Amino acid sequence: MAGIPLYFVDLQDDLDDYGFEDYGPSCDGMRVTAFLDVLGQDNLPALARLEKYTFSGNIFNCQIIARGLLDIFRDFSNNEEDFITVMEIVVRLSEDAEPTVRAELLEQIPPIAIFLQENRSDFPVVLSEHLIPIVVRCLADPNNQVRKSSQEVLLILLEQDLIFQHDIENKVCPILLALSAPDGEDEYKAEAVSVICKLASVLSKSTVERRLLPRFCELCGDGKSFKFGRFVPQIWVIFVVLSDKKPLRNFCSSSGVVSCTGCRTARLRE
């Protein structure tokens, strides 16, 4: 199975059901586009056919395209006009009404980012202006699985050093702070706090103190509306990042939060 794109493995049974027994992974140069015409091949160029079926509203077609995006980028990244068209396809898939399509797209972003880093001189711009906004938007998706996928993708990008500090501060942190607002829904709030705690270990001390600490202390003092105790083990990461507990205690004191959960936890660990 070496060299066979994963979407062929996962979707081969479905493809057979749709009458594509004669097409397989060995069809070089056709890959995704070979499977898109249920009624037969048309005369459209490959990229135009991809556009056609991306905007067709057919879930099956969109899932195939989403799973094959890495191959699509490999085939069409050399021509700038084609590359722009592929990016438009990516954005369209990220806005698809079907959650499974959005989730499929998100799963492809890390390998796509690695490919673009290795092959595009404008990788920082492409990542910042096109891919990161998709991940950030999906952090607030109404579908739980899509949100989970976006959280996982974000952490992968962070671990592999594929996301830039200014994007974390200006794109990721604002949405996480909005989702973790005291008056927000508990499910979204819990997910956002969990991601914030994980972010703390990869951000600079100054960024954690300036961007995340105020919300952390605000939630500590909001015991009535949010069950904070479950995050105490993760919250300790923030104290490790800050080295000592003075910044947190000073903030709590100046903001009027008396003996918040975080400060009490810090004292117990001393």
Side-chain angles (χ1 to χ4, degrees), residues 144-162:
N144 176 270
Q145 183 56 47
V146 175
R147 293 199 306 276
K148 181 179 178 181
S149 295
S150 67
Q151 294 159 16
E152 292 173 351
V153 168
L154 174 61
L155 294 175
I156 290 172
L157 294 176
L158 286 166
E159 290 169 0
Q160 298 189 5
D161 201 25
L162 290 169

Side-chain angles (χ1 to χ4, degrees), residues 7-21 60:
Y7 57 85
F8 281 118
V9 178
D10 294 336
L11 290 181
Q12 192 61 57
D13 290 340
D14 293 332
L15 294 169
D16 291 344
D17 292 340
Y18 275 78
F20 293 109
E21 300 90 343
F60 178 74

Side-chain angles (χ1 to χ4, degrees), residues 4 33 76-77 79 89 111 126 131 142 147 155 162 181 188 214 219:
I4 297 178
T33 55
F76 297 108
S77 287
N79 180 285
I89 289 174
V126 173
L131 298 182
R147 293 199 306 276
L155 294 175
L162 290 169
Y188 287 81
L219 290 173

Side-chain angles (χ1 to χ4, degrees), residues 86-263:
V86 173
M87 289 307 310
E88 291 173 350
I89 289 174
V90 170
V91 173
R92 167 63 184 82
L93 292 173
S94 75
E95 298 171 345
D96 196 276
E98 172 56 40
T100 60
V101 173
R102 302 197 300 275
E104 287 285 0
L105 168 67
L106 286 164
E107 291 178 9
Q108 305 308 315
I109 287 181
I112 288 172
I114 292 173
F115 170 79
L116 295 177
Q117 184 185 43
E118 296 173 348
N119 293 275
R120 298 277 306 190
S121 60
D122 61 348
F123 166 71
V125 175
V126 173
L127 183 75
S128 180
E129 295 185 1
H130 298 286
L131 298 182
I132 295 303
I134 291 173
V135 177
V136 168
R137 185 173 67 250
C138 288
L139 288 171
D141 196 276
N143 181 269
N144 176 270
Q145 183 56 47
V146 175
R147 293 199 306 276
K148 181 179 178 181
S149 295
S150 67
Q151 294 159 16
E152 292 173 351
V153 168
L154 174 61
L155 294 175
I156 290 172
L157 294 176
L158 286 166
E159 290 169 0
Q160 298 189 5
D161 201 25
L162 290 169
I163 183 170
F164 304 100
Q165 195 78 14
H166 65 84
D167 282 331
I168 297 174
E169 290 197 34
N170 299 319
K171 292 184 173 70
V172 177
C173 285
I175 187 65
L176 291 175
L177 292 174
L179 292 172
S180 61
D183 59 351
E185 295 182 26
D186 279 357
E187 183 178 5
Y188 287 81
K189 194 188 304 182
E191 293 173 355
V193 171
S194 179
V195 176
I196 287 173
C197 290
K198 294 172 183 176
L199 271 180
S201 64
V202 297
L203 294 177
S204 67
K205 177 178 176 179
S206 61
T207 299
V208 172
E209 186 174 346
R210 177 167 45 86
R211 298 303 303 271
L212 303 181
L213 193 54
R215 174 53 43 81
F216 164 70
C217 291
E218 186 177 13
L219 290 173
C220 277
D222 189 38
K224 292 183 179 180
S225 64
F226 187 57
K227 296 179 180 180
F228 208 73
R230 77 182 100 164
F231 293 106
V232 168
Q234 297 180 58
I235 292 167
W236 188 249
V237 173
I238 294 179
F239 293 107
V240 173
V241 171
L242 293 176
S243 297
D244 58 46
K245 292 78 182 178
K246 292 181 181 179
L248 181 63
R249 295 179 184 181
N250 290 342
F251 180 86
C252 288
S253 176
S254 63
S255 62
V257 177
V258 180
S259 190
C260 77
T261 305
C263 285

